[in-house]
Amino acid sequence: MLKGKVAIITGGTRGIGLETVKLFKENHAEVILFGSKKESVDKALAILAEENIKVGGYYPNLNDVKEVEETVEKIIQEYGKIDILVNNAGISANKKIENTTYEEFEKIINLNVNAIFNMTKAVVPYMRKNGGGVILNTSSMVSIYGQPSGVGYPTSKFAVNGLTKSLARELGPSNIRVNAVAPGVTNTDMLTNLPKEMIEPLIKTIPLGRIGEPRDIANAFLFLASPMASYITGEILSVDGAARS
Ligand code: NAD
């Protein structure tokens, strides 16, 4: 489904991102994964190498405009173009507002929102030059109703939806589609870091009766990245077993 395409996936070292890297490779894309540091990128590349999967790996500070631009330029020099950008890197929060510092709130917005702005801004000129592209963002089911603690996280994901819908309108005339996937409770490290008291009641409300697996989310990214979604832009696709908090 992605033969001949070049894709960057941020937060590609584990969880949803790593599964999306694998699925895009299975579908014959060239993939470059981004992680937060050298060690996690090396670890992901080693896991993939064991399965005979070869991808590129970088670890720019996603909030540093210059570092992001330089990394994107390196990728252009090596691969010639960028067709797909998956802005997936993200962190969550679960503390009550009284226990949350300004710095903690800012850290979430910096990665979950500002990094998407940075990455997208760096890649769009190359997509325009290439006659089009696909930008996909990872939102969340909490981008619809919020959540009872950790206000920075849903706030950031509401912003992801805003970025997605607005950029779809701005970039559509350049044949660049922009969509988001809004996962529900998904079986990754992010989930295991949350308290059981928060997760267990949530699972009971999921009509499909189970949490999502990274492959469930990767499948949605594959569909939206592929020509099968050629007339879909500005959408937030829920992949949550109808949980929607
Ligand atoms: P994860 O913790 O397994 O993976 C997070 C990824 O983000 C990792 O690859 C990590 O390297 C990267 N990352 C973290 N901090 C970074 C930083 N400072 N700079 C660059 N990269 C950084 O979690 P996941 O569940 O796979 O999360 C992926 C995305 O899915 C996130 O945007 C998350 O908000 C979203 N999401 C997850 C769930 C869930 O239940 N797991 C639900 C809804 C949305």
Side-chain angles (χ1 to χ4, degrees), residues 198-218:
M198 199 168 167
I199 299 307
E200 276 170 3
L202 256 182
I203 296 174
K204 287 200 186 112
T205 67
I206 301 171
L208 282 184
R210 66 169 178 92
I211 61 171
E213 292 301 325
R215 181 74 34 153
D216 294 318
I217 315 304

Side-chain angles (χ1 to χ4, degrees), residues 11-17 34-36 40 60 62 88-91 111-112 138-141 153 157 183-191:
T13 58
R14 56 176 198 260
I16 291 168
F34 283 12
S36 57
S40 51
L62 297 180
N88 168 72
I91 45 173
L111 182 64
N112 294 11
T138 308
S139 181
S140 166
M141 73 177 190
Y153 185 64
K157 297 300 187 181
V185 184
T186 310
N187 191 11
T188 70
D189 288 355
M190 185 172 280
L191 182 67

Side-chain angles (χ1 to χ4, degrees), residues 58-241:
Y58 289 94
Y59 42 92
N61 174 352
L62 297 180
N63 291 122
D64 184 322
V65 176
K66 204 158 167 277
E67 258 186 57
V68 164
E69 282 175 357
E70 283 170 2
T71 309
V72 166
E73 272 166 36
K74 271 189 215 156
I75 291 167
I76 290 292
Q77 275 163 20
E78 192 178 343
Y79 297 85
K81 60 175 184 165
I82 297 162
D83 300 293
I84 302 161
L85 167 64
V86 183
N87 288 306
N88 168 72
I91 45 173
S92 64
N94 58 52
K95 287 192 209 164
K96 295 286 177 200
I97 189 162
E98 297 92 325
N99 303 324
T100 304
T101 63
Y102 177 82
E103 289 72 23
E104 285 167 337
F105 184 84
E106 190 178 40
K107 190 176 166 196
I108 291 182
I109 303 298
N110 272 343
L111 182 64
N112 294 11
V113 183
N114 299 352
I116 296 186
F117 170 83
N118 247 358
M119 281 300 302
T120 304
K121 190 172 173 194
V123 159
V124 157
Y126 296 105
M127 287 185 171
R128 283 199 209 270
K129 224 185 268 173
N130 201 30
V134 177
I135 297 167
L136 301 174
N137 300 321
T138 308
S139 181
S140 166
M141 73 177 190
V142 304
S143 74
I144 300 170
Y145 298 113
Q147 67 183 26
S149 61
V151 67
Y153 185 64
T155 301
S156 72
K157 297 300 187 181
F158 273 76
V160 169
N161 294 0
L163 270 164
T164 304
K165 287 179 176 285
S166 298
L167 286 175
R169 278 151 185 87
E170 182 175 333
L171 301 175
S174 297
N175 193 32
I176 300 171
R177 296 188 294 106
V178 189
N179 291 293
V181 174
V185 184
T186 310
N187 191 11
T188 70
D189 288 355
M190 185 172 280
L191 182 67
T192 41
N193 289 337
L194 288 177
K196 273 210 175 90
E197 312 83 80
M198 199 168 167
I199 299 307
E200 276 170 3
L202 256 182
I203 296 174
K204 287 200 186 112
T205 67
I206 301 171
L208 282 184
R210 66 169 178 92
I211 61 171
E213 292 301 325
R215 181 74 34 153
D216 294 318
I217 315 304
N219 282 334
F221 278 129
L222 174 63
F223 165 67
L224 289 171
S226 79
M228 286 181 78
S230 59
Y231 199 54
I232 300 176
T233 193
E235 274 306 305
I236 315 298
L237 176 59
S238 289
V239 184
D240 61 4

